[in-house]
Structure formats: structure tokens, C-alpha cells
Amino acid sequence: MRSCFNAWIVVALVVVPVLLSLRNPRGETENTETTTSFSDSSFSVKLANTLPFNQRIRDGSNLEYDFYRDTCPQAEDIVRSAVTRIYFDQRDVSPALLRLFFHDCFIQGCDASLLLDDNGDRNRSVEKQAVPNQTLKGFDKIDLIKEEVEQACPGVVSCSDILALAARDSILLAGGPFYPVLTGRRDSQQSFFKEATDQIPRPDDNIRRTLHLFNLRGFNERETVSLLGAHNIGKIGCDFIQQRLYNFQGTGQPDPSIPPDFLRQMRLNCQDNKNVSSDEFSTSVISEPESVVVHSDSGMSYMQALSSSVSSGAGFDTHYYQSLLRGRGLLFADQQLMAEEKTARLVSAYASDDGSTFRMDFARVMLKMSNLDVLTGPQGEVRLNCSQPTSS
């Protein structure tokens, strides 16, 4: 047992740092004042705790590698096994869990506040009821994993840690990069409906608003462009494309920036829906806007967005960025990455190699995201049921 533990320490402190040490992309010039350098080859689990954040963000410095090694040493194995089992039964669980994780972390940090129910209280609104969150899936999968962990270690492992681990494991199963997840998060006792309604990025946001929302949470342009690459997997639902195709910014016409051949292709996949409202259109630009009962099941992936003459892999490669270079972004907010010189250079850089630069950047920024504004120590609680606070 000790030798296995030591092996994991070696992986975390030696192998992972080598894999995650980054060079400056060819499309990005050095700017030490406004960007975080990713060229430091001394990256380690310790450094992961001290990545720069703005002052309002708790940086996760109280998180630990293998936090549950004494109280629930099998916790991460249970999560990994459950996610693997679910994935081979339902492949779209990867983008669903990734999007769930992003929506949780983006609002008041990675604290599982998104998972809370209103428990029938009509005077109380919770995050999952906010319009941008109404198409989220995967809540039941987190509940299932939590039940398995609770059977082994009652009242020990937080829902926020389970969500962070499950998102990482699902990304890996979908062909994405590995990144270390530090643990020791605590669960929020409250949910943030108004913040979720107002602050989740929208698919019709322009580049300035997208960069502003991410910058408020400590992410620079490079990190933002890398995070948006999560669209490599999953499907963009037609409900979140239709206004761009049929009533762009209330004009009754399509977005004039869409190439005519691509517009025809998108309209074949997404028929006109006169009932799409601006409220229904408000949703996240991260991962796939999945459907619920009131939404259409149809949609497109970024694999479809590329022309048949362009070769691409099936997962975390460069096809998202190649699509943007060709003007074939599915969401307006995605294509807007080409509207500013610096983000356009980053898109070009990510699209110009075999995907290794993007994968390394994505791993690092996901580690940073997972430490965003976390609760630790005496803060928050460990829920027994992820949808209900333990203490009221």
C-alpha cells in the first residue's frame, strides 16, 4: 500500500509537472504585465496552490493532494470507477459533467452550490432553476456517485470534491488530458440564483463581455480561449443556435458573418423555431447546452462544423479552433474569439499543431478552475445528500 502511495506521489510531483510545463504558443507574444507565463517548467502540485488570482478569489491554498488518504482512502477510486461505468453506458456524460462543473465553479466558486434543490420552498430560488442552468444534465450521476462514496465513508467526502473529481475523470475518458485534482473542498450551505442568472456567460455574448466575465474570476485571455476549447466534445443544442440562424440580434435575418455554405448546413440541422425567446437563449458557452423537456434534442457538434475535407480526431484535439479559423463557429460567442487580435492569435496557435499545446493549456487551466473560490477547513459543510444542506 505504501509503495502504491509513493508511486502516486512521484506521478504528481514529477511526471505531471513535466507534462504540464508549457511553452508560449506561437500566436502569443510575451506580456508579463497582463498574462500569466506558462513557460515555468517547475510547475508542481505545490505551485498549483499558488496560481495567481485576483484578491476576491480564494486560491485553494488549503486544498491538499489526496486529502482523504486517512479518512477515506478509497474515495477517489470509487469516483473513478463509477464515472468509468457510467461513461461506457452513456458517452455524453463527459460534456454533461464538464458543463456541470463549470457552472458550479463560475458562480461563487467550486462549492457544489449548483447541486442544491429548493426543497419545495416557493420563496427560495436556487441556482439550478436559473435560466442558464435549466439545460444542465448530470445531477443524477453525481447523486449516484455520492451514494457509493457514502456507503464506504459516511459524512466524509464533500459533494464539491466529488464533482471536481468526476469532471476530471470524465474528461480523461473522453480523450482529454489528465490533471491533478487537489481535494479538501467543503460544500456551500446556500445557493446563488441571482448570480447564476446574471453572470453565466451567454452564447450571444461579444468578445468583450466574455473576456470580462472570465477576467473577474482571474482568467486571462489565453486561459479563456483554452477553457472554451471544451466545446471539442459534446453537442450544441439547436435552441442555442437558432437565433443566430433566423433572428440575429432581433433583425429577422441570420448573422451576416456566417459563411453561406455553413449557414445552409446549420439550418439543415436546426430548423426554424419561432418560439425561441431571448430568455431561453441565455446559457453557458462552456461545454454542451444539453436539452430538457422544453428544448429540442437536435443540435450540432464542432466535428460537424468542419468541412469533410478537414481531418480531425474524435476528442480533445484542434477541430474547435480549426472551425473558428474557417468562420464556422457554432455559437456567436465562440466565433467572437476571432474578433480581437490577441484571442485570434491564440486560436491560430492552438489550431496550428497536433493539439498538444491546447491539451497542456487546458489541463493547467482546469486545475486552476478547480481551485476557484473554494471553501475549506471550518467553512461550509460536508453534505450527506448533494441536493440538500446538512444544516438549515
Side-chain angles (χ1 to χ4, degrees), residues 59 171 238 294:
D59 64 2
I171 289 170
C238 284
V294 297

Side-chain angles (χ1 to χ4, degrees), residues 7 9 16 23 33 50 53 90 94 134 146 154 163 172 184 189 230 232 241 254 258 299 317 328 351 366-367 379:
I9 292 294
V16 172
R23 64 185 184 274
E33 294 182 356
T50 58
F53 291 85
Q90 187 177 344
S94 293
Q134 289 178 4
K146 173 66 170 175
L163 179 55
L172 191 61
Q189 295 170 295
N232 269 306
I241 303 174
I258 303 176
D317 58 12
R328 300 169 75 87
M366 284 300 293
L367 192 156
Q379 301 168 324

Side-chain angles (χ1 to χ4, degrees), residues 108-123:
Q108 302 297 317
C110 306
D111 59 3
S113 56
L114 173 63
L115 307 181
L116 289 170
D117 285 337
D118 62 2
N119 294 323
D121 185 354
R122 295 185 178 181
N123 296 319

Side-chain angles (χ1 to χ4, degrees), residues 277-328:
S277 69
S278 59
D279 282 343
E280 286 179 314
F281 192 67
S282 175
T283 189
S284 166
V285 296
I286 286 288
S287 196
E288 75 198 275
E290 293 280 2
S291 61
V292 292
V293 175
V294 297
H295 294 274
S296 169
D297 272 328
S298 57
M300 291 183 66
S301 72
Y302 270 94
M303 288 295 292
Q304 292 174 278
L306 281 177
S307 67
S308 58
S309 62
V310 178
S311 62
S312 178
F316 271 78
D317 58 12
T318 64
H319 62 269
Y320 169 76
Y321 301 105
Q322 291 180 47
S323 296
L324 300 186
L325 285 179
R326 291 165 173 78
R328 300 169 75 87

Side-chain angles (χ1 to χ4, degrees), residues 322-339:
Q322 291 180 47
S323 296
L324 300 186
L325 285 179
R326 291 165 173 78
R328 300 169 75 87
L330 294 175
L331 299 178
F332 178 75
D334 285 339
Q335 194 58 50
Q336 277 282 291
L337 293 179
M338 300 301 297

